[in-house]
Amino acid sequence: MNVEARLKDARIANAAAHWGPRFTVNGVDFSDFKDVTSALQSWDDWCGAWSARAAEHEARGRAALAAKQYVSAREHLVRAAATYHFAKYLFVQDMAQMKAAHSKAVACLTDALPFMEPPGERVLIPYEGKHLAGVLRKPRGVQKPPIVLMTMGLDSTKEELVTFQQTFLDRGMAILAFDGPGQGEAEYDFPIRPDYENVVGPVIDWLETVRPDVDTKRLGIWGISLGGYYAPRSAAFEKRIKAAIANCGPYNWGALWAKLPELTRAAYVARSHSKSDAEAREKAFGLSLEGIGEKIECPIFIIAAGLDRLCPPEDAKRLASEVKGPVELLVIEDGNHVAHNRPYSYRPQSADWMARQLGAVAVR
C-alpha cells in the first residue's frame, strides 16, 4: 500500500500519528497498533478492523478459560477488552457496530475480573432509576482500605483503566472505576452532565451504604482528560472527597471547541445527546471551572502536559492558581494529552501523593 492511498483519510493518519502511546500504555499490543493502523485506508473500517484483532485475543482467552489456565485467560481477556474498547473509540457514525464492540469489551473484562491480581468485581450503582456500571478492586491483605474513585474522559470507559488501577492497588488503595453519564455503559441512557458532584454523590452514598469493606472516610477522586474536569468539579462541592487528582482536564471545554479534532467533536455531540454540532458546542461551555477553584478545599494534584493538543497546559495552570486548598502542579513539558507518552513521569508520583493523603500503606 502506498503512502498516498493511506493518507486519503486524514482521520486514520491522525490516529496513527498520535494515538499509539495511549493505546499501548493501556493494554493494546504495540504490534497490533502498527498492524491495524497501517492496513486501514478509511475511518469507516476502523471499528471492524480493531474488533477482528480483538476477537483473536478473546478466542485465546476463552480457550484458556476452558482449559482452566486462569492466568493466561486473564491476560488474553484483559487485552481483548482494551482492544474492543479502542474499536469503539470515537466511532460514532455507526452505532450498531460501536455497540457490538462495546458489549464485547464489557464481557471480556467482566470474565477476567475474578482472575485478576487482585481480583475485581462488577458492581451496579443505583442512579436516577437505572444503574451505573463499575469495577471495584481491593488490595490484598489490607483491611478496610481507602478508596479512589476513577473518572475517565470523553470516550474512555472502565475497560481502558486496568493499568491505571494497578498504581493505586499496589499502594494499598482500593479503586472504583465507573462509567458515568455519557461514558461506556451509561452513555446510552445518560448524557454528559457538567454538575458531576451529582454523579459522584450517589456513588459515595452507595459505597457508604453497601460496602463496609472500604473506608469511605478516606476517599479520593482521580480523573483524566474530561475526567480532569469532573474530579475538581466534584471535589469543590462533594466534601466527603479528601483528595483529588486532575490530569490534563479542560478549564472550559466550550472555549476549546474550535480547535478540537473532528472525531472528538463528533464524539461529544453523541455523548452529550445533542442534535447538532452547534447544540453540543453550547453545552460544552457548561463544562467550565470558572469560580470552582476557590471552592476546592481538599488537597489536589494537578497534571499538565506541554504538548497537549486537546487541553492546553495553561488550563491546568489556571486552575492551580485559583484553588483554595493545598495544590501541587506537575507540568510534563514533553507530554502529550494525559502524558500517555510519559506515564513514568506522573503515574507513580500522583499515586504516591494520593497514598499520602489517604494514609494508605503499600502492599508488600
PDB file of all heavy atoms in Angstrom, residues 276-306:
ATOM      1  N   SER A 276     -26.895  18.482  17.108  1.00  0.00           N
ATOM      2  CA  SER A 276     -26.054  19.169  16.128  1.00  0.00           C
ATOM      3  C   SER A 276     -24.745  19.594  16.782  1.00  0.00           C
ATOM      4  O   SER A 276     -24.629  19.621  18.018  1.00  0.00           O
ATOM      5  CB  SER A 276     -26.769  20.406  15.582  1.00  0.00           C
ATOM      6  OG  SER A 276     -26.939  21.368  16.625  1.00  0.00           O
ATOM      7  N   ASP A 277     -23.796  19.953  15.946  1.00  0.00           N
ATOM      8  CA  ASP A 277     -22.530  20.483  16.441  1.00  0.00           C
ATOM      9  C   ASP A 277     -22.770  21.768  17.226  1.00  0.00           C
ATOM     10  O   ASP A 277     -22.151  21.987  18.274  1.00  0.00           O
ATOM     11  CB  ASP A 277     -21.594  20.751  15.252  1.00  0.00           C
ATOM     12  CG  ASP A 277     -20.208  21.201  15.679  1.00  0.00           C
ATOM     13  OD1 ASP A 277     -20.016  22.426  15.864  1.00  0.00           O
ATOM     14  OD2 ASP A 277     -19.320  20.349  15.825  1.00  0.00           O
ATOM     15  N   ALA A 278     -23.678  22.595  16.754  1.00  0.00           N
ATOM     16  CA  ALA A 278     -23.947  23.867  17.424  1.00  0.00           C
ATOM     17  C   ALA A 278     -24.536  23.649  18.813  1.00  0.00           C
ATOM     18  O   ALA A 278     -24.157  24.331  19.780  1.00  0.00           O
ATOM     19  CB  ALA A 278     -24.894  24.714  16.569  1.00  0.00           C
ATOM     20  N   GLU A 279     -25.449  22.703  18.938  1.00  0.00           N
ATOM     21  CA  GLU A 279     -26.028  22.415  20.251  1.00  0.00           C
ATOM     22  C   GLU A 279     -24.974  21.859  21.196  1.00  0.00           C
ATOM     23  O   GLU A 279     -24.913  22.230  22.376  1.00  0.00           O
ATOM     24  CB  GLU A 279     -27.168  21.405  20.116  1.00  0.00           C
ATOM     25  CG  GLU A 279     -27.840  21.067  21.439  1.00  0.00           C
ATOM     26  CD  GLU A 279     -28.895  19.981  21.316  1.00  0.00           C
ATOM     27  OE1 GLU A 279     -29.262  19.606  20.182  1.00  0.00           O
ATOM     28  OE2 GLU A 279     -29.350  19.491  22.376  1.00  0.00           O
ATOM     29  N   ALA A 280     -24.120  20.990  20.669  1.00  0.00           N
ATOM     30  CA  ALA A 280     -23.063  20.417  21.501  1.00  0.00           C
ATOM     31  C   ALA A 280     -22.089  21.494  21.964  1.00  0.00           C
ATOM     32  O   ALA A 280     -21.651  21.490  23.120  1.00  0.00           O
ATOM     33  CB  ALA A 280     -22.325  19.333  20.718  1.00  0.00           C
ATOM     34  N   ARG A 281     -21.745  22.398  21.073  1.00  0.00           N
ATOM     35  CA  ARG A 281     -20.826  23.477  21.444  1.00  0.00           C
ATOM     36  C   ARG A 281     -21.411  24.327  22.564  1.00  0.00           C
ATOM     37  O   ARG A 281     -20.719  24.697  23.519  1.00  0.00           O
ATOM     38  CB  ARG A 281     -20.513  24.353  20.231  1.00  0.00           C
ATOM     39  CG  ARG A 281     -19.588  25.524  20.531  1.00  0.00           C
ATOM     40  CD  ARG A 281     -19.311  26.325  19.263  1.00  0.00           C
ATOM     41  NE  ARG A 281     -18.450  27.464  19.535  1.00  0.00           N
ATOM     42  CZ  ARG A 281     -18.880  28.660  19.938  1.00  0.00           C
ATOM     43  NH1 ARG A 281     -20.189  28.865  20.122  1.00  0.00           N
ATOM     44  NH2 ARG A 281     -18.031  29.638  20.168  1.00  0.00           N
ATOM     45  N   GLU A 282     -22.696  24.609  22.483  1.00  0.00           N
ATOM     46  CA  GLU A 282     -23.341  25.399  23.534  1.00  0.00           C
ATOM     47  C   GLU A 282     -23.292  24.650  24.866  1.00  0.00           C
ATOM     48  O   GLU A 282     -22.996  25.241  25.908  1.00  0.00           O
ATOM     49  CB  GLU A 282     -24.786  25.689  23.140  1.00  0.00           C
ATOM     50  CG  GLU A 282     -25.536  26.545  24.147  1.00  0.00           C
ATOM     51  CD  GLU A 282     -26.954  26.864  23.711  1.00  0.00           C
ATOM     52  OE1 GLU A 282     -27.316  26.552  22.561  1.00  0.00           O
ATOM     53  OE2 GLU A 282     -27.706  27.427  24.528  1.00  0.00           O
ATOM     54  N   LYS A 283     -23.549  23.356  24.833  1.00  0.00           N
ATOM     55  CA  LYS A 283     -23.484  22.564  26.061  1.00  0.00           C
ATOM     56  C   LYS A 283     -22.062  22.503  26.604  1.00  0.00           C
ATOM     57  O   LYS A 283     -21.852  22.474  27.825  1.00  0.00           O
ATOM     58  CB  LYS A 283     -23.994  21.152  25.797  1.00  0.00           C
ATOM     59  CG  LYS A 283     -25.483  21.034  25.547  1.00  0.00           C
ATOM     60  CD  LYS A 283     -25.869  19.594  25.288  1.00  0.00           C
ATOM     61  CE  LYS A 283     -27.366  19.441  25.049  1.00  0.00           C
ATOM     62  NZ  LYS A 283     -27.732  18.034  24.758  1.00  0.00           N
ATOM     63  N   ALA A 284     -21.086  22.483  25.707  1.00  0.00           N
ATOM     64  CA  ALA A 284     -19.690  22.357  26.127  1.00  0.00           C
ATOM     65  C   ALA A 284     -19.264  23.524  27.013  1.00  0.00           C
ATOM     66  O   ALA A 284     -18.422  23.354  27.908  1.00  0.00           O
ATOM     67  CB  ALA A 284     -18.777  22.264  24.909  1.00  0.00           C
ATOM     68  N   PHE A 285     -19.834  24.680  26.797  1.00  0.00           N
ATOM     69  CA  PHE A 285     -19.488  25.827  27.637  1.00  0.00           C
ATOM     70  C   PHE A 285     -19.961  25.644  29.080  1.00  0.00           C
ATOM     71  O   PHE A 285     -19.483  26.335  29.986  1.00  0.00           O
ATOM     72  CB  PHE A 285     -20.073  27.114  27.045  1.00  0.00           C
ATOM     73  CG  PHE A 285     -19.215  27.711  25.954  1.00  0.00           C
ATOM     74  CD1 PHE A 285     -19.513  27.479  24.621  1.00  0.00           C
ATOM     75  CD2 PHE A 285     -18.103  28.481  26.263  1.00  0.00           C
ATOM     76  CE1 PHE A 285     -18.722  28.011  23.617  1.00  0.00           C
ATOM     77  CE2 PHE A 285     -17.306  29.028  25.270  1.00  0.00           C
ATOM     78  CZ  PHE A 285     -17.611  28.793  23.936  1.00  0.00           C
ATOM     79  N   GLY A 286     -20.874  24.705  29.298  1.00  0.00           N
ATOM     80  CA  GLY A 286     -21.306  24.415  30.664  1.00  0.00           C
ATOM     81  C   GLY A 286     -20.253  23.686  31.472  1.00  0.00           C
ATOM     82  O   GLY A 286     -20.295  23.678  32.706  1.00  0.00           O
ATOM     83  N   LEU A 287     -19.287  23.068  30.782  1.00  0.00           N
ATOM     84  CA  LEU A 287     -18.200  22.376  31.465  1.00  0.00           C
ATOM     85  C   LEU A 287     -17.074  23.374  31.686  1.00  0.00           C
ATOM     86  O   LEU A 287     -16.082  23.420  30.959  1.00  0.00           O
ATOM     87  CB  LEU A 287     -17.718  21.180  30.647  1.00  0.00           C
ATOM     88  CG  LEU A 287     -18.538  19.891  30.794  1.00  0.00           C
ATOM     89  CD1 LEU A 287     -19.878  20.036  30.074  1.00  0.00           C
ATOM     90  CD2 LEU A 287     -17.802  18.699  30.213  1.00  0.00           C
ATOM     91  N   SER A 288     -17.251  24.195  32.687  1.00  0.00           N
ATOM     92  CA  SER A 288     -16.316  25.279  32.983  1.00  0.00           C
ATOM     93  C   SER A 288     -15.948  25.267  34.463  1.00  0.00           C
ATOM     94  O   SER A 288     -16.803  25.030  35.324  1.00  0.00           O
ATOM     95  CB  SER A 288     -16.936  26.628  32.624  1.00  0.00           C
ATOM     96  OG  SER A 288     -16.116  27.687  33.072  1.00  0.00           O
ATOM     97  N   LEU A 289     -14.677  25.538  34.742  1.00  0.00           N
ATOM     98  CA  LEU A 289     -14.201  25.608  36.123  1.00  0.00           C
ATOM     99  C   LEU A 289     -14.126  27.047  36.629  1.00  0.00           C
ATOM    100  O   LEU A 289     -13.538  27.307  37.678  1.00  0.00           O
ATOM    101  CB  LEU A 289     -12.827  24.933  36.230  1.00  0.00           C
ATOM    102  CG  LEU A 289     -12.841  23.412  35.992  1.00  0.00           C
ATOM    103  CD1 LEU A 289     -11.420  22.864  35.961  1.00  0.00           C
ATOM    104  CD2 LEU A 289     -13.675  22.696  37.044  1.00  0.00           C
ATOM    105  N   GLU A 290     -14.734  27.945  35.913  1.00  0.00           N
ATOM    106  CA  GLU A 290     -14.799  29.342  36.349  1.00  0.00           C
ATOM    107  C   GLU A 290     -15.481  29.405  37.716  1.00  0.00           C
ATOM    108  O   GLU A 290     -16.603  28.931  37.900  1.00  0.00           O
ATOM    109  CB  GLU A 290     -15.591  30.172  35.343  1.00  0.00           C
ATOM    110  CG  GLU A 290     -15.628  31.651  35.647  1.00  0.00           C
ATOM    111  CD  GLU A 290     -14.361  32.376  35.202  1.00  0.00           C
ATOM    112  OE1 GLU A 290     -13.836  32.040  34.135  1.00  0.00           O
ATOM    113  OE2 GLU A 290     -13.919  33.264  35.952  1.00  0.00           O
ATOM    114  N   GLY A 291     -14.788  29.970  38.696  1.00  0.00           N
ATOM    115  CA  GLY A 291     -15.341  30.110  40.035  1.00  0.00           C
ATOM    116  C   GLY A 291     -15.341  28.836  40.858  1.00  0.00           C
ATOM    117  O   GLY A 291     -15.843  28.837  41.996  1.00  0.00           O
ATOM    118  N   ILE A 292     -14.763  27.751  40.320  1.00  0.00           N
ATOM    119  CA  ILE A 292     -14.780  26.459  41.018  1.00  0.00           C
ATOM    120  C   ILE A 292     -13.562  26.301  41.928  1.00  0.00           C
ATOM    121  O   ILE A 292     -13.651  25.768  43.039  1.00  0.00           O
ATOM    122  CB  ILE A 292     -14.845  25.308  39.998  1.00  0.00           C
ATOM    123  CG1 ILE A 292     -16.136  25.400  39.177  1.00  0.00           C
ATOM    124  CG2 ILE A 292     -14.745  23.963  40.708  1.00  0.00           C
ATOM    125  CD1 ILE A 292     -17.403  25.314  39.977  1.00  0.00           C
ATOM    126  N   GLY A 293     -12.400  26.762  41.467  1.00  0.00           N
ATOM    127  CA  GLY A 293     -11.169  26.571  42.227  1.00  0.00           C
ATOM    128  C   GLY A 293     -11.250  27.076  43.654  1.00  0.00           C
ATOM    129  O   GLY A 293     -10.753  26.430  44.585  1.00  0.00           O
ATOM    130  N   GLU A 294     -11.899  28.199  43.843  1.00  0.00           N
ATOM    131  CA  GLU A 294     -11.993  28.793  45.180  1.00  0.00           C
ATOM    132  C   GLU A 294     -12.835  27.954  46.129  1.00  0.00           C
ATOM    133  O   GLU A 294     -12.802  28.151  47.338  1.00  0.00           O
ATOM    134  CB  GLU A 294     -12.573  30.193  45.076  1.00  0.00           C
ATOM    135  CG  GLU A 294     -13.993  30.233  44.545  1.00  0.00           C
ATOM    136  CD  GLU A 294     -14.462  31.642  44.205  1.00  0.00           C
ATOM    137  OE1 GLU A 294     -13.610  32.465  43.816  1.00  0.00           O
ATOM    138  OE2 GLU A 294     -15.679  31.896  44.328  1.00  0.00           O
ATOM    139  N   LYS A 295     -13.578  26.979  45.575  1.00  0.00           N
ATOM    140  CA  LYS A 295     -14.401  26.093  46.399  1.00  0.00           C
ATOM    141  C   LYS A 295     -13.692  24.771  46.701  1.00  0.00           C
ATOM    142  O   LYS A 295     -14.218  23.942  47.452  1.00  0.00           O
ATOM    143  CB  LYS A 295     -15.731  25.814  45.703  1.00  0.00           C
ATOM    144  CG  LYS A 295     -16.613  27.050  45.516  1.00  0.00           C
ATOM    145  CD  LYS A 295     -17.905  26.688  44.806  1.00  0.00           C
ATOM    146  CE  LYS A 295     -18.870  27.858  44.747  1.00  0.00           C
ATOM    147  NZ  LYS A 295     -18.365  28.974  43.931  1.00  0.00           N
ATOM    148  N   ILE A 296     -12.527  24.542  46.119  1.00  0.00           N
ATOM    149  CA  ILE A 296     -11.792  23.293  46.342  1.00  0.00           C
ATOM    150  C   ILE A 296     -10.910  23.462  47.574  1.00  0.00           C
ATOM    151  O   ILE A 296      -9.919  24.202  47.550  1.00  0.00           O
ATOM    152  CB  ILE A 296     -10.943  22.915  45.116  1.00  0.00           C
ATOM    153  CG1 ILE A 296     -11.835  22.714  43.887  1.00  0.00           C
ATOM    154  CG2 ILE A 296     -10.140  21.636  45.402  1.00  0.00           C
ATOM    155  CD1 ILE A 296     -11.069  22.464  42.599  1.00  0.00           C
ATOM    156  N   GLU A 297     -11.289  22.800  48.634  1.00  0.00           N
ATOM    157  CA  GLU A 297     -10.565  22.921  49.898  1.00  0.00           C
ATOM    158  C   GLU A 297      -9.676  21.728  50.200  1.00  0.00           C
ATOM    159  O   GLU A 297      -8.706  21.847  50.955  1.00  0.00           O
ATOM    160  CB  GLU A 297     -11.569  23.117  51.035  1.00  0.00           C
ATOM    161  CG  GLU A 297     -12.413  24.380  50.877  1.00  0.00           C
ATOM    162  CD  GLU A 297     -13.490  24.502  51.929  1.00  0.00           C
ATOM    163  OE1 GLU A 297     -14.017  23.450  52.361  1.00  0.00           O
ATOM    164  OE2 GLU A 297     -13.809  25.640  52.315  1.00  0.00           O
ATOM    165  N   CYS A 298      -9.978  20.561  49.643  1.00  0.00           N
ATOM    166  CA  CYS A 298      -9.148  19.389  49.883  1.00  0.00           C
ATOM    167  C   CYS A 298      -7.875  19.479  49.041  1.00  0.00           C
ATOM    168  O   CYS A 298      -7.821  20.219  48.053  1.00  0.00           O
ATOM    169  CB  CYS A 298      -9.918  18.110  49.539  1.00  0.00           C
ATOM    170  SG  CYS A 298     -10.215  17.866  47.773  1.00  0.00           S
ATOM    171  N   PRO A 299      -6.825  18.759  49.402  1.00  0.00           N
ATOM    172  CA  PRO A 299      -5.613  18.758  48.580  1.00  0.00           C
ATOM    173  C   PRO A 299      -5.898  18.263  47.165  1.00  0.00           C
ATOM    174  O   PRO A 299      -6.693  17.336  46.966  1.00  0.00           O
ATOM    175  CB  PRO A 299      -4.687  17.796  49.325  1.00  0.00           C
ATOM    176  CG  PRO A 299      -5.199  17.769  50.730  1.00  0.00           C
ATOM    177  CD  PRO A 299      -6.676  17.940  50.620  1.00  0.00           C
ATOM    178  N   ILE A 300      -5.249  18.868  46.189  1.00  0.00           N
ATOM    179  CA  ILE A 300      -5.433  18.463  44.799  1.00  0.00           C
ATOM    180  C   ILE A 300      -4.086  18.434  44.094  1.00  0.00           C
ATOM    181  O   ILE A 300      -3.231  19.302  44.307  1.00  0.00           O
ATOM    182  CB  ILE A 300      -6.433  19.385  44.065  1.00  0.00           C
ATOM    183  CG1 ILE A 300      -6.703  18.878  42.634  1.00  0.00           C
ATOM    184  CG2 ILE A 300      -5.967  20.833  44.052  1.00  0.00           C
ATOM    185  CD1 ILE A 300      -7.882  19.571  41.957  1.00  0.00           C
ATOM    186  N   PHE A 301      -3.889  17.407  43.277  1.00  0.00           N
ATOM    187  CA  PHE A 301      -2.679  17.214  42.479  1.00  0.00           C
ATOM    188  C   PHE A 301      -3.090  17.405  41.025  1.00  0.00           C
ATOM    189  O   PHE A 301      -3.915  16.649  40.503  1.00  0.00           O
ATOM    190  CB  PHE A 301      -2.130  15.807  42.714  1.00  0.00           C
ATOM    191  CG  PHE A 301      -0.768  15.539  42.136  1.00  0.00           C
ATOM    192  CD1 PHE A 301       0.354  15.561  42.945  1.00  0.00           C
ATOM    193  CD2 PHE A 301      -0.608  15.236  40.798  1.00  0.00           C
ATOM    194  CE1 PHE A 301       1.615  15.283  42.433  1.00  0.00           C
ATOM    195  CE2 PHE A 301       0.636  14.961  40.267  1.00  0.00           C
ATOM    196  CZ  PHE A 301       1.760  14.987  41.083  1.00  0.00           C
ATOM    197  N   ILE A 302      -2.537  18.407  40.369  1.00  0.00           N
ATOM    198  CA  ILE A 302      -2.939  18.758  39.006  1.00  0.00           C
ATOM    199  C   ILE A 302      -1.787  18.467  38.052  1.00  0.00           C
ATOM    200  O   ILE A 302      -0.649  18.882  38.286  1.00  0.00           O
ATOM    201  CB  ILE A 302      -3.343  20.243  38.926  1.00  0.00           C
ATOM    202  CG1 ILE A 302      -4.521  20.515  39.864  1.00  0.00           C
ATOM    203  CG2 ILE A 302      -3.708  20.620  37.496  1.00  0.00           C
ATOM    204  CD1 ILE A 302      -4.888  21.990  39.982  1.00  0.00           C
ATOM    205  N   ILE A 303      -2.085  17.767  36.968  1.00  0.00           N
ATOM    206  CA  ILE A 303      -1.081  17.374  35.981  1.00  0.00           C
ATOM    207  C   ILE A 303      -1.390  18.069  34.663  1.00  0.00           C
ATOM    208  O   ILE A 303      -2.544  18.102  34.218  1.00  0.00           O
ATOM    209  CB  ILE A 303      -1.080  15.851  35.790  1.00  0.00           C
ATOM    210  CG1 ILE A 303      -0.796  15.145  37.125  1.00  0.00           C
ATOM    211  CG2 ILE A 303      -0.061  15.426  34.736  1.00  0.00           C
ATOM    212  CD1 ILE A 303      -1.207  13.688  37.141  1.00  0.00           C
ATOM    213  N   ALA A 304      -0.364  18.615  34.055  1.00  0.00           N
ATOM    214  CA  ALA A 304      -0.489  19.254  32.747  1.00  0.00           C
ATOM    215  C   ALA A 304       0.572  18.677  31.821  1.00  0.00           C
ATOM    216  O   ALA A 304       1.631  18.224  32.268  1.00  0.00           O
ATOM    217  CB  ALA A 304      -0.314  20.765  32.865  1.00  0.00           C
ATOM    218  N   ALA A 305       0.296  18.701  30.521  1.00  0.00           N
ATOM    219  CA  ALA A 305       1.244  18.204  29.525  1.00  0.00           C
ATOM    220  C   ALA A 305       1.540  19.314  28.523  1.00  0.00           C
ATOM    221  O   ALA A 305       0.619  19.905  27.945  1.00  0.00           O
ATOM    222  CB  ALA A 305       0.681  16.977  28.816  1.00  0.00           C
ATOM    223  N   GLY A 306       2.822  19.570  28.321  1.00  0.00           N
ATOM    224  CA  GLY A 306       3.225  20.700  27.484  1.00  0.00           C
ATOM    225  C   GLY A 306       2.862  20.568  26.028  1.00  0.00           C
ATOM    226  O   GLY A 306       2.708  21.579  25.328  1.00  0.00           O
TER     227      GLY A 306
END
